[in-house]
Amino acid sequence: MSPAPSMRRKAARAAQPSLFDTTHEGSRTLPTSVEAAVCCDAEVAMASDRMVAAGIDFVVPMAGFALFFAGFYWTAGGVTPGMKMLPWFGAALGMLMLLYRLTWCVAGFDTPGMQAANLRLISLDGRRPTRWARLCRMVGGMVSLLSLGIGLLWGLLDEERLTWHDHMSSTFPTRRY
């Protein structure tokens, strides 16, 4: 019986040469001295699956905003929106996006985008995340986006493919089986 994946990762790290080991032949690589963050056997979802889920979770509130805008347009008697109204529509869109995310955090369920992409959210130790962890993930996601997306791109460089909001909330998406 082979050891658990987390134990195999730790054993592979222990077998790597030291940074200051001059006896190692060939190209030098920097060894990782950080312990694995994921402590369960679940695989972190691929970036493409995460993008599909994020895309759906973006489109759903946008559709709600389009309905809001259409209702406003017809109710206001055909008023054409100008530059003075743009900040108000932006605030309404932002509040709708925040309310959408907050609804799923408080409910403790995965978003429709994650469900459609066949993903589920779990904690780093494999348990179902708490509402607090989901809220931290939502705030961390905003930090990741507001930093010009660096927090999201971090997942492409991270060994375990975890983004900033994965690290901040101690949760990550995985395939639903």
Side-chain angles (χ1 to χ4, degrees):
M1 184 167 156
S2 67
S6 60
M7 295 304 289
R8 286 195 302 257
R9 282 189 286 244
K10 289 177 185 174
R13 285 194 186 111
Q16 290 180 342
S18 169
L19 176 61
F20 301 106
D21 185 8
T22 57
T23 62
H24 180 65
E25 306 249 342
S27 65
R28 242 174 58 174
T29 59
L30 295 176
T32 303
S33 62
V34 179
E35 288 292 320
V38 178
C39 300
C40 63
D41 291 335
E43 289 284 324
V44 178
M46 300 294 295
S48 58
D49 293 334
R50 294 172 82 151
M51 286 175 30
V52 166
I56 293 169
D57 287 335
F58 178 76
V59 167
V60 170
M62 286 300 289
F65 180 73
L67 289 174
F68 163 77
F69 183 78
F72 175 80
Y73 182 77
W74 285 311
T75 304
V79 175
T80 56
M83 292 304 287
K84 290 183 180 180
M85 297 175 79
L86 193 60
W88 296 105
F89 283 122
L93 178 60
M95 291 300 289
L96 194 58
M97 292 273 192
L98 182 66
L99 183 63
Y100 174 79
R101 291 286 182 178
L102 205 54
T103 299
W104 296 106
C105 286
V106 171
F109 293 112
D110 296 327
T111 63
M114 289 192 55
Q115 292 173 16
N118 204 25
L119 298 177
R120 66 186 171 111
L121 191 66
I122 62 172
S123 64
L124 293 177
D125 58 1
R127 297 183 187 158
R128 188 171 181 217
T130 62
R131 285 186 178 116
W132 178 252
R134 289 179 186 272
L135 184 63
C136 289
R137 182 175 180 81
M138 184 184 80
V139 172
M142 285 189 254
V143 170
S144 294
L145 270 175
L146 293 175
S147 65
L148 303 177
I150 294 172
L152 300 173
L153 294 174
W154 186 268
L156 299 175
L157 303 175
D158 189 78
E159 282 183 292
E160 296 177 297
R161 298 189 312 252
L162 298 176
T163 60
W164 283 0
H165 55 283
D166 294 337
H167 285 288
M168 289 178 195
S169 64
S170 298
T171 62
F172 67 96
T174 187
R175 298 290 293 163
R176 185 183 305 265
Y177 293 108

